[in-house]
Amino acid sequence: METVILIFMGISFACCFLCLFRIARGPTAPDRTVAIDILGIVIVCFCALMAVLTGKDFFINAALVWSLVSFIGTLALSKFLEGRGLDD
Amino acid sequence: MTNVIAFVLMGIGMAFNFFGCLGLIRFPDVYNRLQAGTKCVTLGTIFVLAGTAVFFGFTGTSSRAILCLVFILITSPTAAHAVSRGAHRAGVALWKKSVVDQYKKDKEGEKG
Amino acid sequence: MLRRVATFLFAAATWYLITWPYDFATGEFNIEISAAGLVVALIASIILGRVFAPVKHAHNILYRLFWAVLYLPILFFYIIIANLDVLYRIIHPKRPINPGIVKVKTSLKSASARTALANSITLTPGTLTVDMKENGVMYIHCINVHTEDLKQATQKITVRFEKILAKVFD
């Protein structure tokens, strides 16, 4: 049973590296914003898997808070993009 | 039995997650990448959280997992909408093989 | 007043979902935590009650709730279809995509109905709401454009949600 969870966590790591590749490579700023948003959701998924692996419930608290903070960060970044576009 | 259901849900979710992130690499411009991100990764994480809720049974942990699921279901489309509008206002062009861009046409019509 | 009651109910429900004071295994009920939840929800509803949008949909509430509950499985079905569609386009080696931004016009009036419609469209097959104007015109990025005409695009994208959302919100 733990083996299955460890395989799932490995897939999550692969997802994180794909997102990091897009953050490093992304030709424009919105590309990086999208990748950061998706990285946040993948980390929420990772926290849920950690909670199942260890049986401790505070990982779910971390997931709850992380989902909200990631949403607010993405909104702030997109507002920043929009404001810069209106100037020129 | 509940453990089997939980692991099947998590497996479906991880498959959606992985292919969503693959789409983030494969698609050619910001808007198509948003399509992959908002749909596949959101649905995958929803499946994983539902599997977590099933695994923990009828306790406080699973209620928090369901609350997290609802938050993600509400906030993810809003974030995608904000990023796409910001990208279009910042002047990021669509992919060169795109068919039509009526938003840009209407904005130029208002200016001229 | 109605807004404060709605805020109070929402805050109390969130508090009880997070803390979960009743233990089903042993049958213990933690009365301090639930009392603290009621006090915190009361303070939050008094201070923040007027921040949220006014409640316009209070009449006929059972009818609305029935259609809202019916709306969820339909939305979930379309989300699954959307994901399989996008998944096919990701895995296919030639990337069979045909993207573009089209214009549709919605007939819904209230702000909350339009918000729900925009979020539903963002979650379903190959479509993403980019912007919305005051008169109900929405700009939608499609991963596979079928038609550029306003009326046909409206028929294809929005009508299947509008029928139920009109019953819930208008």
Side-chain angles (χ1 to χ4, degrees):
Chain A
M1 202 169 89
E2 285 188 355
T3 329
V4 183
I5 296 286
L6 287 175
I7 290 170
F8 287 166
M9 286 168 87
I11 299 173
S12 277
F13 267 121
C15 291
C16 287
F17 280 114
L18 290 175
C19 291
L20 284 175
F21 175 77
R22 182 48 72 194
I23 291 173
R25 178 78 187 282
T28 60
D31 283 310
R32 297 195 170 97
T33 311
V34 173
I36 289 169
D37 184 23
I38 293 175
L39 189 60
I41 301 179
V42 171
I43 287 172
V44 170
C45 172
F46 194 80
C47 287
L49 290 176
M50 282 294 281
V52 174
L53 181 67
T54 60
K56 302 255 192 325
D57 64 338
F58 56 78
F59 287 107
I60 292 287
N61 299 359
L64 197 61
V65 174
W66 200 297
S67 67
L68 290 176
V69 171
S70 153
F71 168 62
I72 292 170
T74 310
L75 275 194
L77 278 173
S78 64
K79 282 290 163 198
F80 173 69
L81 289 174
E82 203 169 315
R84 194 175 62 183
L86 288 174
D87 282 338
D88 53 47
Chain B
M1 187 61 206
T2 51
N3 280 4
V4 174
I5 297 173
F7 281 111
V8 167
L9 282 175
M10 281 184 198
I12 296 170
M14 290 318 296
F16 273 122
N17 260 3
F18 181 73
F19 287 116
C21 287
L22 202 65
L24 194 66
I25 300 293
R26 273 180 63 87
F27 277 168
D29 71 348
V30 185
Y31 308 99
N32 291 316
R33 282 174 200 146
L34 271 170
Q35 301 266 9
T38 56
K39 290 174 181 63
C40 292
V41 180
T42 303
L43 190 79
T45 307
I46 281 173
F47 268 117
V48 170
L49 284 169
T52 312
V54 171
F55 182 83
F56 279 105
F58 209 64
T59 57
T61 314
S62 65
S63 81
R64 261 169 281 174
I66 288 171
L67 198 63
C68 191
L69 190 156
V70 173
F71 279 152
I72 285 183
L73 191 63
I74 294 172
T75 58
S76 171
T78 316
H81 164 68
V83 171
S84 68
R85 199 175 66 168
H88 209 290
R89 295 235 173 125
V92 177
L94 269 73
W95 189 37
K96 58 183 184 299
K97 285 183 191 167
S98 295
V99 184
V100 61
D101 188 355
Q102 286 178 341
Y103 189 41
K104 195 178 171 190
K105 216 190 284 174
D106 281 10
K107 265 201 304 194
E108 281 170 356
E110 280 172 16
K111 270 180 201 165
Chain C
M1 190 60 212
L2 205 55
R3 276 186 289 183
R4 299 227 158 113
V5 173
T7 313
F8 176 78
L9 288 178
F10 183 74
T14 312
W15 175 278
Y16 286 128
L17 273 180
I18 288 179
T19 57
W20 200 257
Y22 184 75
D23 193 348
F24 280 92
T26 58
E28 287 173 9
F29 185 68
N30 195 335
I31 198 156
E32 291 94 351
I33 285 180
S34 24
L38 288 183
V39 170
V40 169
L42 193 65
I43 293 171
S45 61
I46 287 171
I47 296 173
L48 295 173
R50 60 198 167 77
V51 175
F52 295 107
V55 179
K56 286 176 187 164
H57 316 296
H59 60 279
N60 227 345
I61 198 156
L62 284 177
Y63 179 74
R64 292 174 193 282
L65 271 179
F66 170 74
W67 284 105
V69 169
L70 196 66
Y71 181 63
L72 287 178
I74 295 174
L75 179 65
F76 194 71
F77 172 74
Y78 280 123
I79 289 174
I80 298 283
I81 297 290
N83 279 280
L84 293 179
D85 184 57
V86 173
L87 216 60
Y88 167 72
R89 291 174 202 282
I90 290 169
I91 298 171
H92 198 284
K94 280 183 190 165
R95 284 192 310 199
I97 58 175
N98 193 14
I101 295 182
V102 298
K103 197 158 71 164
V104 302
K105 189 161 171 44
T106 172
S107 59
L108 296 173
K109 294 287 184 292
S110 66
S112 41
R114 283 182 183 176
T115 312
L117 180 67
N119 275 359
S120 307
I121 285 173
T122 303
L123 280 168
T124 46
T127 50
L128 171 75
T129 314
V130 177
D131 201 356
M132 182 157 41
K133 290 272 161 58
E134 290 291 320
N135 55 5
V137 172
M138 299 164 84
Y139 297 93
I140 291 179
H141 179 269
C142 292
I143 206 166
N144 191 9
V145 177
H146 293 284
T147 169
E148 298 174 18
D149 184 51
L150 192 148
K151 279 195 182 127
Q152 284 180 21
T154 306
Q155 192 68 31
K156 199 155 181 55
I157 295 170
T158 66
V159 166
R160 60 188 174 198
F161 299 123
E162 264 180 358
K163 281 182 200 160
I164 293 185
L165 280 177
K167 283 185 178 124
V168 178
F169 285 109
D170 281 341

